[in-house]
Amino acid sequence: MISTIKTLLKKLGIDKAIAYSSGARVVQAFTGVGSIFFISTFLSGVEQGFYYTFGSIVAIQVFFELGLTGIITQFVAHEAAHLQLDASYRYSGEEQHKSRLASLLHFCVKWYVILSLVVLFVLLIVGFIFFNSYSNEENSASWELPWILLCVATAIKLLQSPFNSFIMGIGKVKEMSKISFYQQIILPLSAWLGLICGLKLYVVGISAFLSVLIWNIYVFRTDIWKILKNLWVENISERVLYFKEIFPYQWRIALSWASGYFIFQMFNPVLFATEGAKVAGQMGMTLQALNAIQAFAMSWMNTKVPLYSGMISLKEYEKLDKLFNKTLWQMSSICLCLLATMYGFIEILRITEFKINTTIIADRFLDNWPMFFMMIPIMANQFVFSWATYLRCHKKEPFLTQSIVMGILCCISTIGMGRLYGIYGITISYACLCIGIGTPWAYWIYRTKKREWHGK
């Protein structure tokens, strides 16, 4: 029996890093069901709209973070591939690579201290302007202090984020995945307790604070912090030059990530402003479930980034392609099965009109057709994100133009079609853009650049 299970896990590509990462997503899926109960019971439909729109507004930090966390993982992995970690938690190998690795750590600290303060200031201003502009007596909730708490927590979490990326880059993917696993257990429980105690929208900021606390407790109770400490005091004779090496790559990634905001985060604010907090809440809850499925499937790919980067650094292209293709097949199959399961489950809730207290749970999600149209891009993006990950591990960003164009088109369609046709206009136009333009274009970029860079 045990050997059969091991064989099945091997075929699915589940190693320890994926086990913790995907395990966190499994827990997230189950706790997500629990969250539906608690949100439906302890938040009104309007408060649910604020709950999810908070997340979309906070996501504007992408315009300041500029995709640097993902870049850090790749640059660190390229340097760490040439080094070995000894028993004293120090790296041995060529001095050049040790020095460059240490310089990356110093750069992360200096950059993110300033960045987190800027993000705090901007989020506070943007949030107050937006919610004051589109809230009214019928479409309002007590949001001011919860918003301030969330902004502070977000700034602190942003300050911690580059260390997470750095640690993943040196190969500690399993450890970071384990932290994510613990967070997915503790954070929902704390949010549920907060909702029971009447904290309402405060639970969003409290969860962000707890996320940072859990990360720090784990890192400092293990030996990971010793690696960072030893690197920090390492003599730096050669640096990774930001404007020469990182910035030429980062500005492309930054524009791609900024475009991603207009593709993935515009739905809730636009619906909040045009159709009210209740509809925004339905979109938010639907996206929460869909994003959990997407993140769960993408964990197969994301945990391989240090491996891909290392293989590229060593020019092991055949080995790279074999691993990538196998991983892509595994994750896309899992995503399709989960999307079908979600659709069927919610349809059962609609037919049975299952209630929690007086709330029909299915009514907190989008209707069937809008939900279906939102599922189509989730499936297509499994391929687009994977092709982008593969190419970006080369420390290049070939998706710049595609991301900008798709961001502009999605922004125009979300605002324009949302004003004209509401939720159906937004979801149908989004699905058509992803299938008709985004996915074919992404595949063409992947095939073209792969031949160009690998010489075949």
Side-chain angles (χ1 to χ4, degrees):
M1 181 64 179
I2 295 177
S3 61
T4 302
I5 294 175
K6 288 182 177 179
T7 302
L8 178 60
L9 293 177
K10 186 176 181 181
K11 288 183 178 180
L12 291 174
I14 301 178
D15 54 22
K16 289 184 178 179
I18 290 177
Y20 280 114
S21 182
S22 57
R25 303 306 176 187
V26 171
V27 172
Q28 184 182 28
F30 282 104
T31 56
V33 175
S35 294
I36 292 172
F37 166 79
F38 285 98
I39 291 173
S40 301
T41 302
F42 297 102
L43 295 181
S44 67
V46 169
E47 287 170 334
Q48 179 179 314
F50 276 89
Y51 182 92
Y52 288 113
T53 305
F54 271 12
S56 295
I57 302 298
V58 162
I60 66 172
Q61 65 182 286
V62 70
F63 294 100
F64 301 92
E65 194 272 332
L66 302 175
L68 191 56
T69 50
I71 293 172
I72 290 168
T73 298
Q74 295 168 25
F75 270 77
V76 168
H78 275 264
E79 300 303 329
H82 300 273
L83 301 171
Q84 297 80 40
L85 188 66
D86 60 29
S88 62
Y89 304 102
R90 293 182 180 274
Y91 277 102
S92 59
E94 294 182 29
E95 192 65 32
Q96 171 192 8
H97 295 293
K98 283 196 294 182
S99 176
R100 285 170 60 83
L101 192 59
S103 74
L104 282 169
L105 182 59
H106 281 256
F107 168 76
C108 289
V109 173
K110 295 175 183 177
W111 181 276
Y112 276 85
V113 166
I114 298 173
L115 191 62
S116 59
L117 292 174
V118 173
V119 167
L120 172 60
F121 180 73
V122 172
L123 285 179
L124 286 170
I125 293 177
V126 171
F128 271 86
I129 292 175
F130 179 84
F131 291 115
N132 277 321
S133 298
Y134 296 108
S135 298
N136 52 52
E137 292 184 0
E138 296 180 355
N139 185 32
S140 188
S142 180
W143 60 269
E144 292 87 350
L145 289 178
W147 178 249
I148 294 173
L149 178 67
L150 176 60
C151 290
V152 174
T154 299
I156 296 174
K157 191 173 181 179
L158 180 63
L159 182 60
Q160 169 252 301
S161 63
F163 298 102
N164 192 78
S165 300
F166 194 98
I167 293 169
M168 286 187 67
I170 61 177
K172 300 294 182 180
V173 179
K174 182 187 73 174
E175 287 77 4
M176 294 300 98
S177 298
K178 187 181 291 187
I179 292 176
S180 179
F181 181 76
Y182 293 149
Q183 288 172 333
Q184 292 301 334
I185 295 176
I186 297 172
L187 298 186
L189 294 177
S190 67
W192 299 347
L193 180 60
L195 289 171
I196 292 172
C197 294
L199 295 178
K200 293 187 176 292
L201 295 177
Y202 284 98
V203 299
V204 186
I206 292 172
S207 293
F209 269 114
L210 278 176
S211 175
V212 175
L213 181 62
I214 293 168
W215 188 93
N216 280 278
I217 289 174
Y218 183 90
V219 168
F220 283 95
R221 291 194 59 161
T222 61
D223 295 320
I224 296 175
W225 70 274
K226 295 180 181 179
I227 301 174
L228 300 179
K229 178 183 176 182
N230 291 333
L231 273 174
W232 183 260
V233 298
E234 192 76 45
N235 180 50
I236 300 177
S237 57
E238 182 175 337
R239 296 178 178 272
V240 174
L241 302 176
Y242 175 75
F243 285 104
K244 184 178 179 180
E245 300 179 63
I246 296 178
F247 183 73
Y249 176 40
Q250 184 190 1
W251 75 265
R252 294 177 172 84
I253 288 286
L255 289 176
S256 295
W257 279 42
S259 300
Y261 181 88
F262 296 107
I263 297 174
F264 306 114
Q265 297 293 341
M266 286 289 289
F267 306 120
N268 287 337
V270 169
L271 288 172
F272 190 100
T274 58
E275 298 201 25
K278 185 176 180 180
V279 177
Q282 291 175 329
M283 173 63 85
M285 187 166 282
T286 302
L287 284 176
Q288 181 184 32
L290 292 176
N291 290 337
I293 290 174
Q294 180 168 268
F296 174 75
M298 280 300 298
S299 63
W300 264 253
M301 189 64 62
N302 292 336
T303 54
K304 299 294 193 301
V305 167
L307 283 175
Y308 295 156
S309 298
M311 291 175 186
I312 291 167
S313 180
L314 300 173
K315 301 187 184 306
E316 297 176 342
Y317 298 136
E318 185 175 344
K319 185 177 179 181
L320 167 70
D321 289 343
K322 183 178 180 181
L323 177 61
F324 175 79
N325 292 332
K326 180 180 179 181
T327 304
L328 180 58
W329 177 86
Q330 292 166 341
M331 61 177 282
S332 58
S333 300
I334 289 167
C335 182
L336 181 61
C337 291
L338 291 176
L339 289 174
T341 302
M342 174 186 164
Y343 190 90
F345 178 72
I346 295 178
E347 180 62 18
I348 292 172
L349 292 179
R350 292 193 201 284
I351 294 172
T352 59
E353 295 188 346
F354 179 78
K355 295 181 181 180
I356 295 178
N357 292 335
T358 59
T359 301
I360 298 176
I361 297 303
D363 289 346
R364 291 297 181 101
F365 291 88
L366 293 176
D367 291 338
N368 283 350
W369 279 112
M371 182 173 64
F372 175 75
F373 290 128
M374 291 302 293
M375 286 180 169
I376 293 174
I378 292 293
M379 189 65 213
N381 285 336
Q382 292 290 303
F383 295 90
V384 175
F385 294 165
S386 296
W387 297 329
T389 298
Y390 179 98
L391 295 181
R392 286 167 181 164
C393 284
H394 293 73
K395 296 196 294 187
K396 297 179 182 180
E397 175 48 287
F399 277 79
L400 176 60
T401 303
Q402 191 259 13
S403 298
I404 293 175
V405 172
M406 289 301 298
I408 294 173
L409 291 177
C410 287
C411 182
I412 293 173
S413 71
T414 299
I415 296 175
M417 299 299 284
R419 286 183 178 275
L420 292 173
Y421 304 107
I423 188 66
Y424 278 87
I426 288 176
T427 55
I428 292 173
S429 60
Y430 177 49
C432 290
L433 283 173
C434 288
I435 294 298
I437 299 176
T439 304
W441 192 355
Y443 182 70
W444 179 82
I445 293 172
Y446 165 70
R447 295 295 301 174
T448 301
K449 292 302 178 182
K450 180 181 173 183
R451 286 194 298 265
E452 178 183 336
W453 297 343
H454 295 182
K456 58 180 180 179

